[in-house]
Structure formats: structure tokens, C-alpha cells
């Protein structure tokens, strides 16, 4: 019989042994028994942290909130393993982590609702998530900062999928690559977050479409990495036949390729009257005059639409219209700036469009602007966004299409 498993209890070794000393001896006995049984070692940074994210414990609505919940605070989405380890183990003898009796750790009792938990049941007793946390505690609740391989790459398959009726389901798989070159299927520990309610996603990555003709993106997240999976649920359209439209530019090539996968033909070309009206409104914010309308309709040249667009881009109304739009986006208003600041900032924006300034140059001049807001007009961007948080949120939303507002929670 294995002597390790029959080792004497710490309390019997010395009746006067302190609680902390007993815990250390118990830890040695438990760790030795686990090694003897050949149980794989649990990594705090790669396994326990993944469980905390999978079960939503590190979400902004739970303990990942900036103030925590119930006196227990974790980093948002598990982005700081050092902080989370301290939060979990700072009262490790008998509270959140019980080294003597792992099953009585508050970290486990709360999540299986053996102890009242405002967040409800997060996983079942005996489940894979439960066993990962329990075994980590039983092994001493150790930090493996120096020993654990780091996550270097996350892959999700399929990365994109068009599902044609009657197919309505697809199973996603997440694979992690670590710094030691090893690979691991982490599907059960990854988090799957759909971008809308058109699909249902199970914890193990099975995606079911609820509405034909819908598209969605599922974010696959594991530890500190995430990536998108694009899914489309396409109606059968048994009579569909691709009409092979001729692309006029590289944008058409991408649009047509997507439409073909969605089993949709592009709409017919708009009439000259409709095109003329749309071009004037979209580019200059005005309607064409009667004279301009008659001239365009009477023109029989094959490239008259392209010539119209070029002519509208060169008109002063184009610069006026888009300067107005960008002034709104960049908060160019007297509530943020004074009258002179608004005037010089608007003139700079308008001149940028009139001069056909490339967008990357336009953005760079804004972001690196320094000095007087009167003599260096782009510097008004920082005057309109006065504090670092507002600047970060505005810049991310305007130029990256990303909202950072929720990160404050």
C-alpha cells in the first residue's frame, strides 16, 4: 500500500502544532500523494485563470468590476494574474483557499452554491472547472509564474463559415500555442461571446443559428488573447443562380465575392435620375438643379457617372459638407472651445478636404498637434477632449471604431 496515502495526520504528529504549521505538513502530504497518483499538475496562470474567465467571475458585472463584488475583486477579464493570485490567496488559511480541506474553500463553496452566492451557481461540483480549482488548491495554491509556459497564439476553427440551409450548427474549436512550442485544445476553457442574439452558443463552442439570412461574429477568448469568428446563416434559395456581374473596381470585387457566398445577386443599377440625386446628396449634401439634371440625363457618354463624381469632389460644397460632418465628430463646438478656436479648427478641417489631404495625414496632424490652439488649429482636438480618458475614448471610437467606455467598469 502506498505509504504516502497512509501518512499520519498533521494534528497527530504534534498536538501543539500551529495551524499554519499543520497546513504546511498537510500540503506536503497532499502534494506527494498527487504526484504518486500521477495526476497532471494544474497551472494557475493557464488553467485556473481560464476557469475564472469562463465562469464569468472576472467579468465587469461580477468580481471584475472596478469595485469588485462582496469585498472580493479580480482583474477585469483576468488581465492581471498577479493581482488575482493575491486576491484569492491573501486570506488562504480557511477562507477563500483552504489548504487543509480544499473542498471547504470559499472559492469553491460559493461557485457551487454550498454557501450563498449573489452570482449564483457558476459550475457543478465534480465538473472539470471544479476539479481544476480543487486540485490547484490541494497542491498548495501555488503560483507558477516561472514554470508555466506562456500563451503565444490562439487559433479558432473555423475562422469563417457560411452555413447554407438546412445546416444551422457549427462547432468551434480553440487551440492554444505556448512558449514551449506545445499545443493544446482549450475549447472547454475558452469563452465564446456572440455579437448579437441571432445565435446561441453553448459553453463548449456549439453555435446554432436562430434566423436564416443573419450574420454574426463570435469572439473566442482564452486568457489574454481573443479573435473573431465570422458566421453567416444563408437561406437555401434553391433557384439561386449567380448572374456574374462585372466589377468596376476593387471594392466591387470584394462585395461580389461576399454576395456570391450569401447566395444573393447585387441589385440592378440605379437609374440616371436616382444616381444623380444620391451622388449630390451623399457628396455635397445638396440636390442638383434643374439645369444640372437635364445636362446629366442628356449626356450619352459611357463614363458620365464617374465624371459626375469627380466634378462633385472638386466643388466647394463637398468641402463645406464634410467639414460640417467632421466638426461634429471632432467636437468642434463653442461648448468645448471658444469662438475663435471653433473658427480656426473648422477652417483647417475644411481646407483639408478642399486640398484632398490623405486621411492618414489628416489624423496624424491631429494626434501630434502641439502649441497654441489659435496658431496651430489641429491642437484644438486636445482642447475639446481635455482629460486623458476622454481623449482615449474619442480617439479609439473615431479612428479605430472601438468603444473603450465600458473598460472603465
Amino acid at each position: 500500500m502506498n505509504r504516502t496515502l497512509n501518512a499520519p495526520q498533521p494534528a497527530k504528529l504534534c498536538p501543539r502544532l500551529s495551524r499554519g504549521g499543520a497546513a504546511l505538513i498537510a500540503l506536503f502530504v497532499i502534494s506527494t500523494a498527487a504526484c504518486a497518483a500521477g495526476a497532471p499538475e494544474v497551472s494557475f496562470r493557464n488553467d485556473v485563470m481560464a476557469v475564472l474567465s469562463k465562469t464569468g467571475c472576472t467579468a465587469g458585472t461580477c468580481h471584475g468590476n472596478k469595485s469588485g463584488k462582496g469585498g472580493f475583486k479580480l482583474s477585469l477579464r483576468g488581465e492581471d494574474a498577479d493581482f488575482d493570485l493575491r486576491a484569492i490567496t491573501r486570506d488562504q488559511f480557511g477562507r477563500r483557499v483552504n489548504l487543509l480541506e480544499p473542498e471547504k474553500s470559499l472559492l469553491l463553496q460559493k461557485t457551487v452554491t454550498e454557501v450563498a452566492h449573489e452570482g449564483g451557481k457558476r459550475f457543478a461540483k465534480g465538473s472539470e472547472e471544479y476539479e481544476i480549482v480543487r486540485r490547484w488548491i490541494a497542491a498548495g495554491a501555488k503560483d507558477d509564474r516561472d514554470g508555466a509556459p506562456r500563451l503565444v497564439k490562439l487559433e479558432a476553427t473555423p475562422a469563417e463559415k457560411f452555413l447554407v440551409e438546412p445546416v444551422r450548427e457549427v462547432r468551434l474549436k480553440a487551440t492554444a500555442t505556448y512558449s514551449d512550442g506545445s499545443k493544446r485544445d482549450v475549447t472547454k476553457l475558452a469563452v465564446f461571446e456572440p455579437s448579437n442574439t441571432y445565435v446561441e452558443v453553448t459553453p463548449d463552442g456549439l453555435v446554432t443559428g436562430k434566423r436564416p439570412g443573419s450574420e454574426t461574429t463570435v469572439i473566442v477568448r482564452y486568457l489574454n488573447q481573443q479573435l473573431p469568428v465570422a458566421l453567416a446563416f444563408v437561406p437555401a434559395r434553391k433557384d439561386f443562380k449567380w448572374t456574374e456581374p462585372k466589377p468596376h473596381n476593387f471594392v466591387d470585387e470584394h462585395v461580389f465575392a461576399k454576395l456570391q457566398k450569401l447566395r444573393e445577386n447585387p441589385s440592378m443599377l440605379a437609374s440616371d435620375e436616382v444616381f444623380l440625386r444620391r451622388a449630390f446628396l451623399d457628396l455635397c449634401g445638396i440636390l442638383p438643379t434643374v439645369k444640372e439634371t437635364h445636362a446629366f440625363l442628356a449626356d450619352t457618354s459611357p463614363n458620365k457617372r464617374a465624371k459626375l463624381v469627380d466634378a462633385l469632389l472638386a466643388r466647394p460644397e463637398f468641402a463645406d459638407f464634410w467639414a460640417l460632418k467632421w466638426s461634429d465628430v471632432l467636437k468642434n463646438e463653442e461648448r468645448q472651445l471658444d469662438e475663435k478656436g471653433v473658427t480656426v479648427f473648422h477652417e483647417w478641417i475644411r481646407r483639408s478636404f478642399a486640398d484632398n489631404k490623405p486621411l492618414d495625414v489628416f489624423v496624424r496632424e491631429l494626434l501630434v498637434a502641439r502649441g497654441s490652439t489659435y496658431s496651430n488649429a489641429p491642437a484644438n482636438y486636445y482642447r475639446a477632449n481635455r482629460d486623458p480618458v476622454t481623449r482615449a475614448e474619442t480617439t479609439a471610437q473615431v479612428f479605430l471604431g472601438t468603444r473603450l467606455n465600458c473598460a472603465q467598469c
Side-chain angles (χ1 to χ4, degrees), residues 45-89:
R45 293 176 179 267
N46 292 330
D47 298 323
V48 177
M49 288 295 293
V51 169
L52 295 176
S53 290
K54 180 76 173 182
T55 56
C57 300
T58 59
T61 54
C62 197
H63 298 290
N65 186 279
K66 63 179 180 180
S67 302
K69 292 286 185 180
F72 182 36
K73 174 174 168 51
L74 296 170
S75 64
L76 181 63
R77 292 194 171 188
E79 294 179 353
D80 190 340
D82 293 330
F83 178 89
D84 292 346
L85 181 68
R86 290 193 300 270
I88 293 170
T89 61

Coordinates of all heavy atoms in Angstrom, one line a residue, residues 45-89:
R45 N -1.9 30.0 -13.9 CA -1.9 31.0 -14.9 C -2.6 30.5 -16.2 O -3.2 31.3 -16.9 CB -0.5 31.5 -15.2 CG 0.0 32.3 -14.0 CD 1.5 32.8 -14.2 NE 1.8 33.5 -13.0 CZ 1.7 34.8 -12.8 NH1 1.2 35.5 -13.8 NH2 2.0 35.4 -11.7
N46 N -2.5 29.2 -16.5 CA -3.1 28.7 -17.7 C -4.4 28.0 -17.5 O -5.2 27.9 -18.5 CB -2.1 27.8 -18.4 CG -0.9 28.5 -19.0 OD1 -1.0 29.7 -19.4 ND2 0.2 27.8 -19.0
D47 N -4.7 27.5 -16.3 CA -5.9 26.7 -16.1 C -6.9 27.5 -15.2 O -8.0 27.7 -15.6 CB -5.5 25.4 -15.5 CG -4.7 24.6 -16.4 OD1 -4.9 24.6 -17.6 OD2 -3.8 23.8 -15.9
V48 N -6.4 27.8 -14.0 CA -7.3 28.5 -13.0 C -7.8 29.8 -13.5 O -9.0 30.1 -13.5 CB -6.6 28.6 -11.6 CG1 -7.6 29.4 -10.7 CG2 -6.3 27.3 -11.1
M49 N -6.9 30.6 -14.1 CA -7.3 31.9 -14.7 C -8.3 31.7 -15.8 O -9.2 32.5 -15.9 CB -6.0 32.6 -15.2 CG -5.1 33.2 -14.1 SD -5.9 34.5 -13.1 CE -6.1 35.8 -14.3
A50 N -8.1 30.7 -16.6 CA -9.1 30.4 -17.7 C -10.5 30.1 -17.1 O -11.5 30.5 -17.6 CB -8.6 29.3 -18.6
V51 N -10.5 29.3 -16.0 CA -11.8 28.9 -15.4 C -12.5 30.2 -14.8 O -13.7 30.3 -15.0 CB -11.5 27.9 -14.2 CG1 -12.8 27.8 -13.4 CG2 -11.1 26.6 -14.8
L52 N -11.7 31.1 -14.2 CA -12.3 32.3 -13.7 C -13.0 33.1 -14.8 O -14.0 33.8 -14.6 CB -11.3 33.1 -12.9 CG -10.7 32.5 -11.7 CD1 -9.6 33.4 -11.1 CD2 -11.8 32.2 -10.6
S53 N -12.3 33.2 -16.0 CA -12.9 33.9 -17.1 C -14.1 33.1 -17.7 O -15.1 33.7 -18.0 CB -11.9 34.1 -18.2 OG -10.9 35.1 -17.7
K54 N -14.0 31.8 -17.8 CA -15.0 31.0 -18.4 C -16.3 31.1 -17.6 O -17.4 31.2 -18.2 CB -14.6 29.5 -18.5 CG -15.6 28.6 -19.0 CD -15.6 28.7 -20.5 CE -16.5 27.6 -21.1 NZ -16.5 27.6 -22.6
T55 N -16.2 31.1 -16.3 CA -17.4 31.2 -15.5 C -17.9 32.6 -15.2 O -18.9 32.8 -14.5 CB -17.1 30.5 -14.1 OG1 -16.0 31.2 -13.5 CG2 -16.8 29.0 -14.3
G56 N -17.3 33.6 -15.8 CA -17.7 35.0 -15.7 C -17.3 35.7 -14.4 O -17.8 36.8 -14.2
C57 N -16.5 35.0 -13.6 CA -16.1 35.6 -12.3 C -15.3 36.9 -12.5 O -15.3 37.8 -11.7 CB -15.2 34.7 -11.5 SG -16.1 33.1 -11.1
T58 N -14.5 37.0 -13.7 CA -13.7 38.2 -13.9 C -14.4 39.2 -14.8 O -13.8 40.2 -15.3 CB -12.4 37.8 -14.6 OG1 -12.7 37.1 -15.8 CG2 -11.6 36.9 -13.7
A59 N -15.7 39.0 -15.1 CA -16.5 39.9 -15.9 C -16.7 41.3 -15.2 O -16.7 41.3 -14.0 CB -17.8 39.3 -16.3
G60 N -17.0 42.3 -16.0 CA -17.3 43.6 -15.4 C -18.5 43.6 -14.5 O -18.6 44.5 -13.6
T61 N -19.4 42.7 -14.8 CA -20.7 42.7 -14.0 C -20.5 41.8 -12.7 O -21.4 41.8 -11.9 CB -21.8 42.0 -14.8 OG1 -21.3 40.8 -15.3 CG2 -22.2 42.9 -16.0
C62 N -19.3 41.2 -12.5 CA -19.1 40.4 -11.4 C -17.8 40.9 -10.6 O -17.7 42.1 -10.4 CB -18.9 38.9 -11.8 SG -19.1 37.7 -10.5
H63 N -16.9 40.0 -10.2 CA -15.8 40.5 -9.4 C -14.7 41.3 -10.2 O -13.8 41.9 -9.7 CB -15.1 39.3 -8.8 CG -16.0 38.5 -7.8 ND1 -16.4 39.0 -6.6 CD2 -16.6 37.3 -7.9 CE1 -17.2 38.2 -6.0 NE2 -17.4 37.1 -6.8
G64 N -14.9 41.3 -11.6 CA -14.0 42.1 -12.4 C -14.4 43.6 -12.4 O -13.7 44.4 -13.0
N65 N -15.5 43.9 -11.7 CA -15.9 45.3 -11.6 C -14.9 46.1 -10.9 O -14.1 45.6 -10.1 CB -17.2 45.3 -10.8 CG -17.8 46.7 -10.8 OD1 -17.4 47.5 -10.0 ND2 -18.8 47.0 -11.6
K66 N -14.8 47.4 -11.2 CA -13.7 48.2 -10.6 C -13.8 48.3 -9.1 O -12.8 48.6 -8.5 CB -13.8 49.6 -11.2 CG -15.0 50.4 -10.9 CD -15.0 51.8 -11.5 CE -16.2 52.6 -11.1 NZ -16.2 54.0 -11.7
S67 N -14.9 48.0 -8.5 CA -15.1 48.0 -7.1 C -15.2 46.6 -6.6 O -15.3 46.4 -5.3 CB -16.3 48.8 -6.7 OG -16.2 50.1 -7.1
G68 N -15.2 45.6 -7.4 CA -15.4 44.2 -7.0 C -16.8 43.9 -6.6 O -17.7 44.7 -6.8
K69 N -17.0 42.7 -6.0 CA -18.3 42.4 -5.5 C -18.2 41.6 -4.2 O -17.3 40.7 -4.1 CB -19.1 41.4 -6.5 CG -19.5 42.1 -7.8 CD -20.7 43.0 -7.6 CE -21.2 43.6 -8.9 NZ -22.3 44.5 -8.8
G70 N -18.9 42.1 -3.2 CA -18.9 41.4 -1.9 C -17.5 41.4 -1.2 O -17.1 40.4 -0.5
G71 N -16.7 42.4 -1.5 CA -15.4 42.5 -0.9 C -14.3 41.7 -1.6 O -13.2 41.6 -1.1
F72 N -14.7 41.1 -2.7 CA -13.7 40.3 -3.5 C -13.6 40.9 -4.9 O -14.6 41.0 -5.6 CB -14.2 38.9 -3.5 CG -13.3 37.9 -4.3 CD1 -11.9 38.0 -4.2 CD2 -13.9 36.9 -5.0 CE1 -11.1 37.1 -4.8 CE2 -13.1 36.0 -5.7 CZ -11.7 36.1 -5.6
K73 N -12.4 41.3 -5.2 CA -12.2 42.0 -6.5 C -11.1 41.2 -7.3 O -10.1 40.9 -6.8 CB -11.7 43.4 -6.3 CG -11.3 44.2 -7.6 CD -11.0 45.6 -7.4 CE -10.3 46.3 -8.6 NZ -11.0 46.0 -9.8
L74 N -11.4 41.0 -8.6 CA -10.5 40.4 -9.5 C -10.2 41.4 -10.7 O -11.0 42.3 -10.9 CB -11.0 39.1 -10.1 CG -11.3 38.0 -9.1 CD1 -12.0 36.8 -9.7 CD2 -9.9 37.5 -8.5
S75 N -9.2 41.1 -11.4 CA -8.9 42.0 -12.6 C -9.9 41.7 -13.7 O -10.4 40.6 -13.8 CB -7.5 41.7 -13.1 OG -7.4 40.4 -13.6
L76 N -10.2 42.8 -14.4 CA -11.2 42.7 -15.5 C -10.7 41.7 -16.6 O -9.7 41.8 -17.1 CB -11.4 44.1 -16.1 CG -12.5 44.1 -17.2 CD1 -13.9 43.7 -16.7 CD2 -12.5 45.5 -17.9
R77 N -11.6 40.7 -16.8 CA -11.3 39.6 -17.8 C -10.0 38.9 -17.5 O -9.4 38.4 -18.4 CB -11.3 40.2 -19.2 CG -12.7 40.7 -19.7 CD -12.8 40.9 -21.1 NE -14.1 41.1 -21.6 CZ -14.5 41.2 -22.9 NH1 -13.6 41.1 -23.8 NH2 -15.7 41.4 -23.2
G78 N -9.5 38.9 -16.3 CA -8.3 38.2 -15.9 C -7.1 38.7 -16.6 O -6.2 37.9 -16.9
E79 N -7.0 40.0 -16.7 CA -5.8 40.5 -17.4 C -4.6 40.7 -16.5 O -3.5 41.0 -17.0 CB -6.2 41.9 -18.0 CG -7.2 41.8 -19.1 CD -7.5 43.1 -19.7 OE1 -7.1 44.2 -19.1 OE2 -8.3 43.2 -20.7
D80 N -4.7 40.5 -15.2 CA -3.6 40.6 -14.3 C -3.6 39.4 -13.3 O -4.2 39.4 -12.3 CB -3.8 41.9 -13.5 CG -2.6 42.3 -12.6 OD1 -1.7 41.4 -12.4 OD2 -2.4 43.5 -12.3
A81 N -2.8 38.4 -13.7 CA -2.8 37.2 -12.9 C -2.2 37.4 -11.6 O -2.6 36.8 -10.6 CB -2.0 36.1 -13.7
D82 N -1.2 38.3 -11.5 CA -0.5 38.5 -10.2 C -1.5 39.1 -9.2 O -1.6 38.7 -8.0 CB 0.6 39.5 -10.4 CG 1.8 38.9 -11.1 OD1 2.0 37.7 -11.0 OD2 2.5 39.6 -11.8
F83 N -2.3 40.1 -9.7 CA -3.4 40.7 -8.8 C -4.4 39.7 -8.4 O -4.8 39.6 -7.2 CB -4.1 41.8 -9.6 CG -5.1 42.5 -8.8 CD1 -4.9 43.6 -8.0 CD2 -6.5 42.0 -8.9 CE1 -5.9 44.2 -7.3 CE2 -7.5 42.7 -8.2 CZ -7.2 43.7 -7.4
D84 N -4.8 38.8 -9.3 CA -5.8 37.8 -9.0 C -5.3 36.8 -8.0 O -6.1 36.3 -7.1 CB -6.4 37.2 -10.2 CG -7.1 38.1 -11.1 OD1 -7.5 39.2 -10.6 OD2 -7.3 37.8 -12.3
L85 N -4.1 36.4 -8.1 CA -3.5 35.4 -7.2 C -3.5 36.0 -5.8 O -3.8 35.3 -4.8 CB -2.1 35.0 -7.6 CG -1.4 34.0 -6.7 CD1 -2.1 32.7 -6.9 CD2 0.1 33.9 -7.1
R86 N -3.1 37.2 -5.6 CA -3.1 37.9 -4.3 C -4.5 38.0 -3.7 O -4.7 37.7 -2.6 CB -2.4 39.3 -4.4 CG -0.9 39.3 -4.6 CD -0.3 40.6 -4.4 NE -0.9 41.7 -5.3 CZ -0.4 42.0 -6.5 NH1 0.6 41.3 -6.9 NH2 -1.0 42.9 -7.2
A87 N -5.4 38.3 -4.6 CA -6.8 38.5 -4.1 C -7.4 37.2 -3.6 O -8.1 37.1 -2.7 CB -7.7 39.0 -5.3
I88 N -7.0 36.1 -4.3 CA -7.5 34.8 -3.9 C -6.9 34.2 -2.7 O -7.5 33.6 -1.8 CB -7.4 33.8 -5.1 CG1 -8.3 34.2 -6.3 CG2 -7.7 32.4 -4.7 CD1 -8.0 33.5 -7.6
T89 N -5.6 34.4 -2.6 CA -4.8 33.7 -1.5 C -4.4 34.6 -0.3 O -3.7 34.1 0.6 CB -3.5 33.1 -2.1 OG1 -2.7 34.2 -2.6 CG2 -3.8 32.1 -3.2

